[in-house]
Amino acid sequence: MGDNELDLVLVKRVQGGDNSAFDLLVRKYQHRIGAVVYRFVPDHAEAQDITQDAFIRAYRALPNFRGDAQFYTWLYRIAVNTAKNFLVASKRRPPTADIAAEDAEHLAGGGRLHDHDTPEHQLLRGEIEQAVTDTVAGLPEELRQAITLREVDGLSYEEIAQLMQCPIGTVRSRIFRAREAIDQTLRPLMDSERVRP
């Protein structure tokens, strides 16, 4: 039984009155959802509260869940909306960057330098991570969201299309354009690395 099928079985049990099944769903997804929320609200205590609030909202909305989308996709949407609502209510703007520096190594170019641990390479790795973070932060929101869902959250193109409510071709195009922007930023750094002795 795959993840999606297992989620649906647990959802049906919750809808039938078995609250312990929801505890299993919370345990399964609390870290992923917490990481999503933390990208919007980087205060640990606030992010924990918002994550808990997102699960409460999901629990209340579960009777209306019909299984049209995957459970995680549905839960992700609730978490993002809960985080954004929190920021609006506390008169804060959503962050300009959806990606933390430590997540940048998952993006193109970040993993190439892990074999070399000289101070020069550590410095260059830091420059690359910062360049990727800054580039992603400067992307239009739909490109930033698409590349983050793909490279950081590891979602499939189909899952991203569901989340962003657009065709898969549009998702592919957005991810391609985001990668192009990142590659353009990294090219000078990587070229300078090649000419070093």
Side-chain angles (χ1 to χ4, degrees):
M1 182 182 292
D3 261 3
N4 299 331
E5 290 85 1
L6 178 60
D7 287 351
L8 285 175
V9 167
L10 292 172
V11 165
K12 295 237 181 295
R13 282 176 51 189
V14 177
Q15 289 171 336
D18 180 0
N19 291 335
S20 64
F22 190 71
D23 292 340
L24 294 173
L25 288 167
V26 171
R27 280 207 287 275
K28 180 176 179 183
Y29 288 116
Q30 64 187 356
H31 294 297
R32 281 175 79 182
I33 293 300
V36 167
V37 168
Y38 191 77
R39 255 187 256 135
F40 288 88
V41 183
D43 178 276
H44 183 68
E46 287 179 339
Q48 280 187 316
D49 290 345
I50 295 163
T51 301
Q52 187 174 6
D53 190 29
F55 278 109
I56 291 168
R57 287 171 190 237
Y59 178 76
R60 289 180 181 149
L62 213 50
N64 301 320
F65 180 78
R66 297 185 311 277
D68 298 337
Q70 293 178 4
F71 177 75
Y72 176 73
T73 304
W74 179 79
L75 185 59
Y76 177 97
R77 263 195 218 128
I78 290 173
V80 167
N81 289 336
T82 304
K84 286 183 174 178
N85 290 343
F86 171 83
L87 290 170
V88 169
S90 56
K91 298 192 172 22
R92 286 190 253 171
R93 292 182 55 201
T96 54
D98 277 355
I99 236 176
E102 59 266 28
D103 295 330
E105 66 188 10
H106 297 294
L107 294 165
R112 296 180 202 165
L113 304 176
H114 288 284
D115 297 333
H116 314 287
D117 213 17
T118 65
E120 292 83 10
H121 280 95
Q122 287 179 358
L123 178 65
L124 183 63
R125 183 170 59 229
E127 287 176 21
I128 287 172
E129 288 178 359
Q130 190 59 53
V132 170
T133 300
D134 292 345
T135 303
V136 171
L139 292 172
E141 181 164 357
E142 68 273 4
L143 300 189
R144 188 170 66 240
Q145 186 180 10
I147 194 75
T148 302
L149 289 171
R150 180 69 181 160
E151 301 294 350
V152 178
D153 294 331
L155 298 187
S156 69
Y157 287 103
E158 292 79 8
E159 290 170 318
I160 298 168
Q162 275 187 345
L163 271 174
M164 298 188 74
Q165 299 175 330
C166 65
I168 289 180
T170 303
V171 169
R172 290 183 191 281
S173 169
R174 288 174 180 173
I175 290 171
F176 176 80
R177 285 164 47 208
R179 285 180 175 154
E180 280 282 289
I182 292 166
D183 285 346
Q184 281 181 354
T185 302
L186 292 183
R187 203 166 292 127
L189 289 172
M190 300 312 287
D191 288 346
S192 69
E193 169 63 10
R194 277 197 286 274
V195 298
R196 284 181 191 177

